[in-house]
Amino acid sequence: MSKKILVALDNSDYAEKVMIQAVEMATAYKASLIGVSVVDDSYTKGCDECEPWVNVIDKCKNILEEGKGCTEESCITFQHKMLAGSPAVEILKYAEREGIDIIVLGHLGKTAASGFAMGSVAQKVAAYSKCSVFIVK
């Protein structure tokens, strides 16, 4: 059975560091890597076409594309997925649904929508995940 590593990417200063660590782990364990970016839609409910929502989606797409660029030299499989909802909840649901073996995320970050610190996301994921969690500092 092949290993699957989920790397949670956001719009924080830690995103690049988190991605580098996830690529190193995937290479060492010969695992596939799945990049996930979650748009916290609580700030943009009912605003499908408004400019802030479009900007958030564009930021998440850029983050995931940058993640893809990090994996091209390392010969690992990289998939990416953009989700909407509460970041911790969506990461946990996706990890369980997809049979993820380990989740890699930063200890602090920013949601692409709000710019607020999300240390609580790392805490919630670590507390409620059914798989191992690696928190990058």
Side-chain angles (χ1 to χ4, degrees), residues 10 33 69 81 91 111 113 130:
D10 62 11
L33 188 59
K81 183 82 175 165
I91 290 166
T111 61
K130 294 182 180 178

Side-chain angles (χ1 to χ4, degrees), residues 21 39 52 54 57 61 74 80 84 93 98 103 116-117:
Q21 185 67 54
V39 177
V54 173
I57 292 171
K61 286 179 181 176
S74 57
H80 50 84
K93 286 190 328 189
E98 297 298 321
I103 299 170
F116 293 119

Side-chain angles (χ1 to χ4, degrees), residues 11-75:
N11 194 30
S12 73
D13 294 336
Y14 287 102
E16 184 178 352
K17 190 174 182 180
V18 170
M19 187 64 192
I20 290 168
Q21 185 67 54
V23 168
E24 288 176 5
M25 291 175 74
T27 302
Y29 292 113
K30 296 179 176 60
S32 61
L33 188 59
I34 303 165
V36 171
S37 188
V38 182
V39 177
D40 188 345
D41 63 359
S42 64
Y43 301 99
T44 55
K45 287 270 191 228
C47 189
D48 291 341
E49 298 298 323
C50 69
E51 190 173 326
W53 182 245
V54 173
N55 289 339
V56 166
I57 292 171
D58 287 344
K59 280 184 181 179
C60 286
K61 286 179 181 176
N62 289 338
I63 291 163
L64 291 170
E65 283 302 314
E66 287 174 16
K68 183 179 179 182
C70 290
T71 63
E72 289 176 350
E73 294 179 18
S74 57
C75 299

Side-chain angles (χ1 to χ4, degrees), residues 4-8 87-105 120-135:
K4 294 182 185 177
I5 297 174
L6 183 152
V7 55
V89 171
E90 294 304 319
I91 290 166
L92 291 166
K93 286 190 328 189
Y94 187 86
E96 187 170 353
R97 183 175 62 244
E98 297 298 321
I100 298 297
D101 296 297
I102 188 165
I103 299 170
V104 180
L105 73 164
S120 62
V121 172
Q123 290 173 344
K124 289 175 187 172
V125 170
Y128 297 107
S129 177
K130 294 182 180 178
C131 67
S132 297
V133 177
F134 186 87
I135 299 175

